[in-house]
Amino acid sequence: VVSFPFEDIYIDRRHILHTLTKKEQKIVFYFALLTASLGIGGIRAIVCPLSAYNLEDCGLKELLSFFNWFYWLVNLNSAVVFVSISYIQQSVARNLGFLIPFVSVLMAMITIHMVCGEMIYKPKTESSLLTTFGVIASALKTCCVRYRCLSGGVTNWLDHAKENYGGRYSETQVESTKSLTRLFPLFAFQILYRTCIMQIPSGYYLQTMNSNLNFSGFVLPIAAMNVISIVPLLILVPILECINSCLFSSKGSRHSPTIYIVVGQLSAALSVMVAGFSEMHRKRFPQVEQTLSKEVLLVSSMPCFHLAPQYILLGVAEALVTPSCSLLSFRLVPERIRGISMHFLTLFNGAGCFIGAFIVQTVHTGTQGTWFPHLLHEGKLEGFFFFLASLMMANTLGMWTIAHRYNDLNQEYTKEFRGSLPEEKPLQHEKAIKFYDSVLDRSPILSPMETT
């Protein structure tokens, strides 16, 4: 729908195909953004969990390998899109940049409809999103009534929702919710990290747009710089696979993906810091005229490839963080709520985009537009990058302090808790709960060197 209001669709040179005003075109465009966001949210929340359902009986090595190669394929597709479609949209016709995805999505819908009979999955009905929220609401209600969270031998505030303590939920449902809430600190530390990743289509995009895109007479598409952040991921995944194979094959190895998350977040902080220095470096070059989408802009004569290090560091961060977070979200909860856990991870990742927009607006207002000026060379965008880098360093330190909570990925824990259904023997159920409660308590605090 968005492709047709553009002026490059016409009957002839004098008769434009549409008669929409600029205001009406903006309404159509923002409506399309809303519908696209709804579709993307559904795809991100469903596709990866649906693919991982067939791996419920696989070991830790197989799960980590799956998530690594899953995101490798996703980014390989992204690289093709950024190189081809972005060039067509910037240098050929803007409308084709929207029509090509439309046709590809239409073909995908037809293909999925043809094979939908083989893709139906019926999850277990013991737990659902409503059940999870119900357990939390019931526990909070009981706590408010009693004016305290821990009472009557209750070791966790969620235990108030159990039938044994006056609630209306079974012990299995409450324990499943407890395992999910223990992941919330991990999810929370992904919000600021995702804000850094979102600098590629925002802050880094502004830098690239105001740099020299002319490469031997060929004007590079701005979005093509995204490929530089994807290449490290495409290279690192096979290398990480070899490292993981060696670690898992060694006896007595206590390999945990949390060290990958910490190192990846550190790489993201360094990327934003490098972006600040790159911005200072960019403004030292004289300005030249550059034509983008038929508009003449004054940009820095610094070649855009000088921005490559910050893109590479973010690519390294994505290769380390995203698969590891997905693995922890899938592995550290019972089978019946694994889909819900990965949905929450997607939700917190999306929250990073809103937090990033909030930070930008706050910074813009607080600096009176100095850090985000209309003319980039007259402002101090590097100040925003240094501010975000300092926040990300604090976020990385916080992630490192809680990383030990998620180090124990013992296969026996998953099987024990997965088998603790209400109809089983009470003794076996009690054993599973005790084992689960002791998992996080007995994990020693390890430094990154010791964990490695």
Side-chain angles (χ1 to χ4, degrees):
V1 173
V2 171
S3 62
F4 291 98
F6 283 113
E7 288 80 1
D8 49 10
I9 296 183
Y10 50 81
I11 299 175
D12 55 40
R13 296 292 179 182
R14 293 174 297 178
H15 299 88
I16 306 297
L17 187 61
H18 70 85
T19 57
L20 296 180
T21 62
K22 290 293 183 181
K23 182 179 180 180
E24 292 171 335
Q25 291 182 38
K26 287 184 177 181
I27 294 175
V28 172
F29 183 76
Y30 286 116
F31 173 77
L33 279 182
L34 175 62
T35 56
S37 65
L38 294 175
I40 293 171
I43 290 173
R44 289 180 180 272
I46 293 174
V47 171
C48 190
L50 185 64
S51 304
Y53 278 133
N54 295 326
L55 300 173
E56 289 173 346
D57 295 325
C58 294
L60 182 60
K61 177 183 177 181
E62 289 77 11
L63 284 174
L64 185 56
S65 178
F66 164 78
F67 287 113
N68 278 331
W69 288 111
F70 176 85
Y71 289 108
W72 186 87
L73 287 172
V74 169
N75 283 273
L76 179 63
N77 293 335
S78 300
V80 174
V81 169
F82 287 134
V83 171
S84 58
I85 296 182
S86 61
Y87 170 75
I88 293 173
Q89 190 170 23
Q90 179 172 305
S91 303
V92 180
R94 283 180 291 181
N95 64 292
L96 291 179
F98 295 108
L99 286 176
I100 293 175
F102 164 72
V103 174
S104 65
V105 170
L106 182 62
M107 294 175 62
M109 292 172 61
I110 295 173
T111 305
I112 291 174
H113 178 72
M114 293 172 62
V115 298
C116 65
E118 301 177 3
M119 300 176 66
I120 295 177
Y121 175 80
K122 295 182 179 180
K124 298 181 182 297
T125 57
E126 288 86 356
S127 294
S128 65
L129 188 60
L130 290 178
T131 302
T132 302
F133 285 129
V135 170
I136 297 175
S138 178
L140 289 174
K141 181 180 178 180
T142 306
C143 289
C144 292
V145 171
R146 298 184 181 182
Y147 294 100
R148 59 185 183 274
C149 291
L150 300 178
S151 62
V154 176
T155 58
N156 188 290
W157 65 276
L158 285 172
D159 289 335
H160 287 293
K162 292 182 179 179
E163 295 173 342
N164 298 338
Y165 297 98
R168 60 187 183 90
Y169 293 93
S170 66
E171 193 163 356
T172 302
Q173 292 172 329
V174 174
E175 291 298 328
S176 298
T177 305
K178 286 168 65 175
S179 66
L180 178 62
T181 56
R182 287 188 175 98
L183 289 176
F184 282 177
L186 173 68
F187 296 159
F189 280 110
Q190 304 311 309
I191 293 179
L192 198 58
Y193 164 76
R194 191 55 52 181
T195 300
C196 292
I197 296 298
M198 289 306 297
Q199 293 310 305
I200 291 181
S202 55
Y204 291 5
Y205 184 93
L206 290 175
Q207 280 186 298
T208 306
M209 183 178 69
N210 286 271
S211 301
N212 187 8
L213 295 169
N214 196 311
F215 179 69
S216 300
F218 175 75
V219 179
L220 293 173
I222 301 173
M225 289 293 292
N226 292 20
V227 180
I228 298 179
S229 66
I230 296 175
V231 169
L233 190 146
L234 300 179
I235 296 175
L236 277 178
V237 166
I239 297 175
L240 291 176
E241 279 294 295
C242 297
I243 295 175
N244 293 333
S245 298
C246 296
L247 290 176
F248 282 108
S249 61
S250 60
K251 295 182 179 180
S253 175
R254 294 191 58 197
H255 175 63
S256 174
T258 52
I259 186 63
Y260 290 159
I261 298 176
V262 174
V263 174
Q265 291 195 359
L266 179 61
S267 179
L270 292 176
S271 172
V272 183
M273 186 179 298
V274 170
F277 289 113
S278 298
E279 179 63 15
M280 297 171 62
H281 176 66
R282 187 190 64 82
K283 290 190 292 187
R284 295 192 183 103
F285 285 76
Q287 290 186 311
V288 296
E289 289 187 350
Q290 182 170 262
T291 303
L292 290 177
S293 299
K294 301 178 182 180
E295 294 185 11
V296 179
L297 303 174
L298 280 176
V299 301
S300 171
S301 59
M302 183 193 80
C304 61
F305 293 110
H306 288 198
L307 304 174
Q310 63 199 56
Y311 282 92
I312 293 175
L313 287 170
L314 272 190
V316 172
E318 273 290 85
L320 296 173
V321 174
T322 304
S324 300
C325 283
S326 298
L327 172 65
L328 293 177
S329 303
F330 186 86
R331 179 74 174 181
L332 291 180
V333 294
E335 176 184 333
R336 60 187 66 85
I337 63 167
R338 281 175 170 170
I340 297 175
S341 175
M342 301 197 72
H343 294 165
F344 269 99
L345 176 61
T346 305
L347 179 65
F348 276 83
N349 286 339
C353 304
F354 288 96
I355 295 298
F358 174 77
I359 293 175
V360 168
Q361 184 61 40
T362 303
V363 166
H364 178 77
T365 305
T367 61
Q368 298 180 350
T370 303
W371 284 8
F372 280 93
H374 293 290
L375 298 176
L376 198 60
H377 66 278
E378 295 180 356
K380 296 182 178 180
L381 182 61
E382 64 273 12
F384 169 74
F385 286 138
F386 290 140
F387 173 68
L388 184 58
S390 61
L391 293 179
M392 191 60 206
M393 288 297 293
N395 187 83
T396 304
L397 181 60
M399 181 64 215
W400 178 72
T401 58
I402 69 165
H404 65 278
R405 302 183 187 181
Y406 311 103
N407 281 346
D408 199 332
L409 301 177
N410 197 317
Q411 177 76 6
E412 294 180 2
Y413 147 68
T414 305
K415 288 184 177 180
E416 286 279 353
F417 196 79
R418 186 167 54 204
S420 59
L421 295 176
E423 62 270 14
E424 294 185 354
K425 296 180 180 180
L427 181 61
Q428 181 181 357
H429 179 77
E430 183 180 357
K431 179 182 178 181
I433 301 302
K434 287 182 178 180
F435 182 86
Y436 174 78
D437 286 335
S438 64
V439 166
L440 299 180
D441 294 336
R442 74 186 185 190
S443 299
I445 301 178
L446 300 177
S447 66
M449 292 299 296
E450 290 172 333
T451 305
T452 305

Coordinates of all heavy atoms in Angstrom, one line a residue, residues 351-423:
A351 N 11.0 -3.7 24.2 CA 11.0 -2.6 25.2 C 12.3 -1.8 25.0 O 12.3 -0.6 25.3 CB 10.9 -3.1 26.6
G352 N 13.4 -2.4 24.6 CA 14.6 -1.7 24.4 C 14.5 -0.6 23.3 O 15.1 0.5 23.4
C353 N 13.7 -0.8 22.3 CA 13.4 0.2 21.3 C 12.7 1.4 21.9 O 13.1 2.6 21.6 CB 12.6 -0.4 20.1 SG 13.3 -1.9 19.4
F354 N 11.7 1.2 22.7 CA 11.0 2.3 23.4 C 11.9 3.0 24.3 O 11.8 4.3 24.4 CB 9.7 1.7 24.0 CG 8.7 1.3 23.1 CD1 8.5 0.0 22.8 CD2 7.8 2.2 22.6 CE1 7.6 -0.5 21.9 CE2 6.8 1.8 21.7 CZ 6.7 0.5 21.3
I355 N 12.7 2.3 25.1 CA 13.6 3.0 26.0 C 14.6 3.8 25.3 O 15.0 4.9 25.7 CB 14.3 1.9 26.9 CG1 13.3 1.2 27.8 CG2 15.4 2.6 27.7 CD1 12.6 2.1 28.8
G356 N 15.1 3.3 24.1 CA 16.0 4.1 23.3 C 15.4 5.3 22.8 O 16.0 6.4 22.8
A357 N 14.1 5.3 22.4 CA 13.4 6.5 21.9 C 13.2 7.5 23.1 O 13.3 8.7 22.9 CB 12.1 6.1 21.3
F358 N 12.9 6.9 24.2 CA 12.8 7.8 25.4 C 14.1 8.5 25.8 O 14.1 9.7 26.1 CB 12.2 6.9 26.6 CG 12.2 7.7 27.9 CD1 11.1 8.6 28.1 CD2 13.1 7.5 28.9 CE1 11.1 9.3 29.3 CE2 13.1 8.2 30.1 CZ 12.0 9.1 30.3
I359 N 15.2 7.7 25.7 CA 16.5 8.3 26.0 C 16.8 9.4 25.0 O 17.3 10.5 25.4 CB 17.6 7.3 26.1 CG1 17.4 6.3 27.2 CG2 19.0 7.9 26.2 CD1 18.3 5.1 27.3
V360 N 16.6 9.2 23.7 CA 16.8 10.2 22.7 C 16.0 11.4 22.9 O 16.5 12.6 22.9 CB 16.6 9.6 21.3 CG1 16.6 10.7 20.3 CG2 17.6 8.5 21.0
Q361 N 14.7 11.3 23.2 CA 13.9 12.4 23.5 C 14.3 13.2 24.7 O 14.3 14.4 24.7 CB 12.4 12.0 23.6 CG 11.4 13.1 23.7 CD 11.4 14.0 22.5 OE1 11.5 13.6 21.4 NE2 11.3 15.3 22.7
T362 N 14.7 12.5 25.7 CA 15.1 13.1 27.0 C 16.4 13.9 26.8 O 16.5 15.0 27.2 CB 15.3 12.1 28.1 OG1 14.1 11.4 28.3 CG2 15.7 12.8 29.4
V363 N 17.3 13.3 26.1 CA 18.6 13.9 25.8 C 18.4 15.1 24.9 O 19.0 16.2 25.0 CB 19.6 12.9 25.1 CG1 20.8 13.6 24.5 CG2 20.1 11.9 26.2
H364 N 17.5 15.0 23.9 CA 17.3 16.1 22.9 C 16.7 17.3 23.7 O 17.1 18.4 23.5 CB 16.3 15.6 21.9 CG 15.9 16.7 20.9 ND1 16.8 17.1 19.9 CD2 14.8 17.5 20.8 CE1 16.2 18.1 19.2 NE2 15.0 18.3 19.7
T365 N 15.7 17.0 24.6 CA 15.1 18.1 25.4 C 16.1 18.7 26.4 O 16.2 19.9 26.5 CB 13.9 17.6 26.1 OG1 13.0 17.0 25.2 CG2 13.2 18.7 26.9
G366 N 16.9 17.8 27.0 CA 17.8 18.3 28.0 C 19.0 19.1 27.5 O 19.5 20.0 28.1
T367 N 19.4 18.8 26.3 CA 20.5 19.5 25.6 C 20.0 20.6 24.7 O 20.8 21.2 24.0 CB 21.4 18.6 24.9 OG1 20.7 17.9 23.8 CG2 22.0 17.5 25.8
Q368 N 18.7 20.8 24.6 CA 18.1 21.8 23.7 C 18.5 21.5 22.3 O 18.7 22.5 21.5 CB 18.4 23.2 24.2 CG 17.9 23.5 25.5 CD 18.3 24.9 26.0 OE1 19.1 25.6 25.3 NE2 17.7 25.4 27.1
G369 N 18.5 20.3 21.9 CA 18.8 19.9 20.5 C 20.3 19.9 20.1 O 20.6 19.6 19.0
T370 N 21.2 20.1 21.1 CA 22.6 20.2 20.8 C 23.1 18.8 20.4 O 23.9 18.7 19.4 CB 23.4 20.7 22.0 OG1 22.9 22.0 22.3 CG2 24.9 20.8 21.6
W371 N 22.6 17.7 21.1 CA 23.1 16.4 20.8 C 22.4 15.8 19.6 O 22.9 14.8 19.0 CB 23.0 15.5 22.0 CG 24.0 15.8 23.1 CD1 24.9 16.8 23.1 CD2 24.2 15.0 24.3 NE1 25.7 16.7 24.2 CE2 25.3 15.7 25.0 CE3 23.6 13.9 24.8 CZ2 25.7 15.2 26.2 CZ3 24.1 13.4 26.1 CH2 25.1 14.1 26.7
F372 N 21.3 16.3 19.2 CA 20.6 15.8 18.0 C 20.1 17.0 17.2 O 18.9 17.3 17.1 CB 19.4 14.9 18.4 CG 19.8 13.5 18.8 CD1 20.0 13.2 20.1 CD2 19.9 12.5 17.8 CE1 20.3 11.9 20.4 CE2 20.2 11.2 18.1 CZ 20.5 10.9 19.5
P373 N 21.0 17.7 16.5 CA 20.7 18.9 15.7 C 20.1 18.5 14.4 O 20.2 17.4 13.9 CB 22.0 19.6 15.6 CG 23.0 18.5 15.5 CD 22.5 17.4 16.4
H374 N 19.5 19.5 13.7 CA 19.1 19.3 12.3 C 20.2 19.2 11.4 O 20.2 18.4 10.4 CB 18.2 20.5 11.9 CG 16.9 20.6 12.7 ND1 15.9 19.7 12.5 CD2 16.5 21.5 13.6 CE1 14.9 20.0 13.3 NE2 15.2 21.1 14.0
L375 N 21.3 19.9 11.6 CA 22.5 19.7 10.8 C 23.5 19.1 11.7 O 24.0 19.6 12.7 CB 23.0 21.1 10.4 CG 22.1 21.9 9.5 CD1 22.6 23.3 9.1 CD2 21.8 21.1 8.2
L376 N 23.9 17.8 11.4 CA 24.7 17.0 12.3 C 26.1 17.6 12.6 O 26.6 17.4 13.7 CB 24.8 15.6 11.6 CG 25.3 14.5 12.6 CD1 24.2 14.3 13.7 CD2 25.4 13.2 11.9
H377 N 26.7 18.2 11.6 CA 28.0 18.8 11.8 C 28.1 20.0 12.8 O 29.1 20.3 13.2 CB 28.7 19.2 10.4 CG 28.0 20.3 9.8 ND1 26.8 20.2 9.0 CD2 28.2 21.7 9.8 CE1 26.4 21.3 8.6 NE2 27.3 22.3 9.0
E378 N 26.9 20.5 13.0 CA 26.8 21.7 14.0 C 26.5 21.2 15.4 O 26.5 22.1 16.3 CB 25.8 22.7 13.5 CG 26.1 23.3 12.2 CD 25.0 24.3 11.7 OE1 24.0 24.4 12.5 OE2 25.2 24.9 10.7
G379 N 26.2 20.0 15.6 CA 25.9 19.5 16.9 C 27.0 18.6 17.5 O 28.1 18.6 17.1
K380 N 26.6 17.9 18.6 CA 27.5 17.1 19.3 C 26.9 15.7 19.6 O 26.6 15.3 20.7 CB 27.9 17.7 20.7 CG 28.7 19.0 20.5 CD 29.1 19.6 21.9 CE 29.9 20.9 21.7 NZ 30.4 21.4 23.0
L381 N 26.7 15.0 18.5 CA 26.1 13.6 18.6 C 27.0 12.7 19.4 O 26.5 11.7 20.0 CB 25.9 13.1 17.2 CG 25.2 11.7 17.1 CD1 23.8 11.7 17.7 CD2 25.1 11.2 15.6
E382 N 28.3 13.0 19.4 CA 29.2 12.1 20.1 C 28.9 12.2 21.6 O 29.2 11.2 22.3 CB 30.7 12.6 19.9 CG 31.1 14.0 20.4 CD 30.8 15.0 19.4 OE1 30.1 14.8 18.4 OE2 31.3 16.2 19.6
G383 N 28.4 13.3 22.1 CA 28.0 13.3 23.5 C 27.0 12.3 23.9 O 27.0 11.6 24.9
F384 N 26.0 12.1 23.0 CA 25.0 11.1 23.2 C 25.6 9.7 23.2 O 25.3 8.8 24.0 CB 23.9 11.2 22.1 CG 22.9 10.0 22.1 CD1 22.0 9.8 23.1 CD2 23.0 9.0 21.1 CE1 21.1 8.7 23.1 CE2 22.2 7.9 21.1 CZ 21.2 7.8 22.1
F385 N 26.5 9.4 22.3 CA 27.1 8.1 22.2 C 28.0 7.8 23.4 O 27.9 6.7 24.0 CB 28.0 8.0 20.9 CG 27.3 7.9 19.6 CD1 27.7 8.6 18.5 CD2 26.2 7.1 19.5 CE1 27.0 8.5 17.3 CE2 25.5 6.9 18.4 CZ 25.9 7.7 17.3
F386 N 28.7 8.8 23.9 CA 29.5 8.6 25.2 C 28.5 8.3 26.4 O 28.8 7.5 27.2 CB 30.4 9.7 25.4 CG 31.5 9.9 24.4 CD1 31.9 11.1 23.9 CD2 32.2 8.7 24.0 CE1 33.0 11.2 23.0 CE2 33.2 8.8 23.1 CZ 33.6 10.0 22.6
F387 N 27.4 9.0 26.4 CA 26.5 8.9 27.5 C 25.9 7.5 27.4 O 25.8 6.8 28.5 CB 25.4 9.9 27.4 CG 24.2 9.7 28.3 CD1 24.4 9.9 29.7 CD2 23.0 9.4 27.8 CE1 23.3 9.7 30.6 CE2 21.9 9.2 28.7 CZ 22.1 9.4 30.1
L388 N 25.5 7.0 26.2 CA 24.9 5.7 26.1 C 26.0 4.6 26.4 O 25.6 3.5 27.0 CB 24.4 5.5 24.7 CG 23.7 4.2 24.3 CD1 22.5 4.0 25.3 CD2 23.2 4.1 22.9
A389 N 27.2 4.8 26.0 CA 28.3 3.9 26.3 C 28.5 3.7 27.8 O 28.7 2.6 28.3 CB 29.6 4.3 25.6
S390 N 28.4 4.8 28.6 CA 28.6 4.7 30.0 C 27.4 4.0 30.6 O 27.6 3.1 31.5 CB 28.6 6.1 30.6 OG 27.4 6.9 30.4
L391 N 26.2 4.2 30.1 CA 25.1 3.4 30.6 C 25.2 1.9 30.3 O 24.9 1.0 31.1 CB 23.8 3.9 30.0 CG 23.3 5.3 30.4 CD1 22.0 5.6 29.6 CD2 23.1 5.4 31.9
M392 N 25.8 1.6 29.1 CA 25.9 0.2 28.7 C 27.0 -0.5 29.5 O 26.9 -1.7 29.8 CB 26.2 0.1 27.2 CG 26.2 -1.3 26.6 SD 24.5 -2.0 26.8 CE 25.0 -3.7 26.8
M393 N 28.1 0.3 29.9 CA 29.1 -0.3 30.7 C 28.5 -0.7 32.1 O 28.9 -1.8 32.6 CB 30.3 0.7 30.9 CG 31.1 0.9 29.6 SD 32.0 -0.7 29.1 CE 33.1 -0.8 30.5
A394 N 27.7 0.2 32.7 CA 27.1 -0.1 33.9 C 26.1 -1.3 33.8 O 26.0 -2.2 34.7 CB 26.3 1.1 34.5
N395 N 25.4 -1.4 32.7 CA 24.6 -2.5 32.4 C 25.3 -3.8 32.3 O 24.9 -4.9 32.8 CB 23.8 -2.3 31.1 CG 22.7 -3.3 30.8 OD1 21.6 -3.2 31.3 ND2 23.0 -4.3 30.0
T396 N 26.5 -3.8 31.6 CA 27.4 -5.0 31.5 C 27.9 -5.4 32.9 O 27.9 -6.6 33.2 CB 28.5 -4.7 30.6 OG1 28.1 -4.2 29.3 CG2 29.4 -5.9 30.4
L397 N 28.2 -4.5 33.7 CA 28.7 -4.8 35.1 C 27.6 -5.5 35.9 O 27.8 -6.5 36.6 CB 29.2 -3.6 35.8 CG 29.7 -3.8 37.2 CD1 30.9 -4.7 37.2 CD2 30.1 -2.4 37.8
G398 N 26.4 -4.9 35.7 CA 25.2 -5.6 36.4 C 24.9 -7.0 35.9 O 24.6 -7.9 36.7
M399 N 25.0 -7.2 34.6 CA 24.8 -8.5 34.0 C 25.9 -9.5 34.5 O 25.6 -10.6 34.8 CB 24.9 -8.4 32.5 CG 24.7 -9.7 31.8 SD 23.0 -10.4 32.1 CE 23.4 -12.2 32.1
W400 N 27.1 -9.0 34.7 CA 28.2 -9.9 35.2 C 28.0 -10.3 36.6 O 28.3 -11.4 37.0 CB 29.5 -9.1 35.1 CG 30.7 -9.9 35.6 CD1 31.3 -11.0 35.0 CD2 31.4 -9.7 36.8 NE1 32.3 -11.5 35.8 CE2 32.4 -10.7 36.9 CE3 31.3 -8.7 37.8 CZ2 33.3 -10.7 37.9 CZ3 32.2 -8.7 38.8 CH2 33.2 -9.7 38.9
T401 N 27.4 -9.4 37.4 CA 27.1 -9.7 38.8 C 26.0 -10.8 39.0 O 26.0 -11.5 40.0 CB 26.7 -8.5 39.6 OG1 25.6 -7.9 39.0 CG2 27.9 -7.5 39.6
I402 N 25.1 -10.9 38.1 CA 24.0 -11.9 38.2 C 24.2 -13.1 37.3 O 23.4 -14.0 37.3 CB 22.7 -11.3 37.9 CG1 22.5 -10.9 36.4 CG2 22.4 -10.1 38.8 CD1 21.1 -10.6 36.0
A403 N 25.3 -13.1 36.5 CA 25.5 -14.2 35.6 C 25.6 -15.6 36.2 O 25.2 -16.6 35.6 CB 26.8 -13.9 34.7
H404 N 26.1 -15.6 37.5 CA 26.3 -16.9 38.1 C 25.0 -17.6 38.4 O 24.9 -18.8 38.6 CB 27.0 -16.7 39.5 CG 26.3 -15.9 40.5 ND1 26.3 -14.5 40.5 CD2 25.5 -16.3 41.5 CE1 25.5 -14.1 41.5 NE2 25.0 -15.2 42.1
R405 N 23.9 -16.8 38.4 CA 22.6 -17.4 38.7 C 22.1 -18.4 37.6 O 21.3 -19.3 37.8 CB 21.5 -16.4 38.8 CG 21.7 -15.4 39.9 CD 20.6 -14.4 40.0 NE 20.8 -13.3 41.0 CZ 19.9 -12.4 41.2 NH1 18.8 -12.3 40.6 NH2 20.2 -11.4 42.1
Y406 N 22.7 -18.2 36.4 CA 22.2 -18.9 35.2 C 23.3 -19.8 34.7 O 23.3 -20.3 33.5 CB 21.8 -18.0 34.1 CG 20.8 -16.9 34.6 CD1 21.3 -15.6 34.8 CD2 19.5 -17.2 34.9 CE1 20.4 -14.6 35.3 CE2 18.6 -16.3 35.4 CZ 19.1 -15.0 35.6 OH 18.2 -14.0 36.1
N407 N 24.3 -20.2 35.5 CA 25.4 -21.0 35.1 C 25.0 -22.5 35.0 O 25.6 -23.3 34.2 CB 26.6 -20.8 36.0 CG 27.4 -19.6 35.6 OD1 27.2 -19.0 34.6 ND2 28.3 -19.1 36.5
D408 N 24.1 -23.0 35.9 CA 23.8 -24.4 36.0 C 22.7 -24.7 35.0 O 21.6 -24.4 35.2 CB 23.4 -24.7 37.4 CG 23.5 -26.2 37.7 OD1 23.4 -27.0 36.7 OD2 23.7 -26.6 38.9
L409 N 23.1 -25.4 33.9 CA 22.2 -25.8 32.9 C 22.2 -27.3 32.8 O 22.1 -28.0 31.8 CB 22.6 -25.3 31.5 CG 22.7 -23.8 31.4 CD1 23.2 -23.4 30.0 CD2 21.4 -23.1 31.7
N410 N 22.2 -28.0 34.0 CA 22.2 -29.4 34.1 C 21.0 -30.1 33.4 O 19.9 -29.7 33.6 CB 22.2 -29.8 35.6 CG 22.7 -31.3 35.8 OD1 22.3 -32.1 35.1 ND2 23.5 -31.5 36.8
Q411 N 21.3 -31.1 32.6 CA 20.2 -31.8 31.9 C 19.3 -32.4 32.8 O 18.1 -32.5 32.5 CB 20.9 -32.8 30.9 CG 19.9 -33.6 30.1 CD 19.3 -32.9 29.0 OE1 19.7 -31.7 28.7 NE2 18.3 -33.5 28.3
E412 N 19.7 -32.9 34.0 CA 18.9 -33.7 34.9 C 17.8 -32.7 35.4 O 16.7 -33.2 35.7 CB 19.7 -34.3 36.0 CG 20.7 -35.3 35.5 CD 21.5 -35.9 36.7 OE1 21.2 -35.4 37.8 OE2 22.3 -36.7 36.5
Y413 N 18.1 -31.5 35.6 CA 17.1 -30.6 36.2 C 15.9 -30.4 35.3 O 14.8 -30.5 35.7 CB 17.7 -29.2 36.4 CG 16.8 -28.0 36.2 CD1 15.7 -27.8 37.1 CD2 16.9 -27.2 35.1 CE1 14.8 -26.8 36.9 CE2 16.0 -26.2 34.9 CZ 15.0 -26.0 35.8 OH 14.1 -25.0 35.6
T414 N 16.2 -30.3 34.0 CA 15.1 -30.1 33.0 C 14.2 -31.4 33.0 O 12.9 -31.3 33.0 CB 15.6 -29.9 31.6 OG1 16.5 -28.7 31.7 CG2 14.5 -29.6 30.7
K415 N 14.8 -32.5 33.0 CA 14.0 -33.8 32.9 C 13.2 -34.0 34.2 O 12.1 -34.4 34.2 CB 14.9 -35.0 32.7 CG 15.5 -35.0 31.3 CD 16.3 -36.3 31.1 CE 16.8 -36.3 29.6 NZ 17.6 -37.5 29.4
E416 N 13.8 -33.7 35.4 CA 13.2 -33.9 36.7 C 11.9 -33.0 36.8 O 10.9 -33.4 37.1 CB 14.1 -33.5 37.8 CG 15.2 -34.6 38.0 CD 14.7 -35.8 38.8 OE1 13.6 -35.7 39.3 OE2 15.4 -36.8 39.0
F417 N 12.1 -31.7 36.4 CA 11.0 -30.8 36.6 C 10.0 -31.0 35.5 O 8.8 -30.8 35.8 CB 11.5 -29.3 36.5 CG 10.6 -28.4 37.1 CD1 10.4 -28.2 38.4 CD2 9.7 -27.6 36.2 CE1 9.5 -27.3 38.9 CE2 8.8 -26.7 36.7 CZ 8.7 -26.6 38.1
R418 N 10.4 -31.4 34.4 CA 9.4 -31.7 33.3 C 8.5 -32.9 33.7 O 7.4 -32.9 33.3 CB 10.1 -32.0 32.0 CG 9.2 -32.1 30.8 CD 10.0 -32.0 29.5 NE 11.1 -33.0 29.5 CZ 12.2 -32.9 28.8 NH1 12.4 -31.8 28.0 NH2 13.1 -33.8 28.8
G419 N 9.0 -33.8 34.5 CA 8.2 -34.9 34.8 C 7.4 -34.7 36.1 O 6.6 -35.6 36.4
S420 N 7.5 -33.6 36.7 CA 6.8 -33.4 38.0 C 5.3 -32.9 37.7 O 5.0 -31.7 37.9 CB 7.5 -32.4 38.8 OG 7.6 -31.2 38.2
L421 N 4.5 -33.7 37.2 CA 3.1 -33.4 36.9 C 2.3 -33.8 38.1 O 2.6 -34.6 38.9 CB 2.6 -34.1 35.7 CG 3.3 -33.7 34.4 CD1 2.8 -34.6 33.2 CD2 3.1 -32.3 34.1
P422 N 1.1 -33.2 38.3 CA 0.3 -33.4 39.5 C -0.1 -34.9 39.7 O -0.2 -35.3 40.8 CB -1.0 -32.6 39.2 CG -0.5 -31.5 38.3 CD 0.5 -32.2 37.4
E423 N -0.3 -35.6 38.6 CA -0.8 -37.0 38.8 C 0.3 -37.9 39.2 O 0.1 -39.1 39.4 CB -1.4 -37.5 37.5 CG -0.5 -37.5 36.2 CD -0.5 -36.2 35.5 OE1 -1.0 -35.2 36.1 OE2 0.0 -36.1 34.4

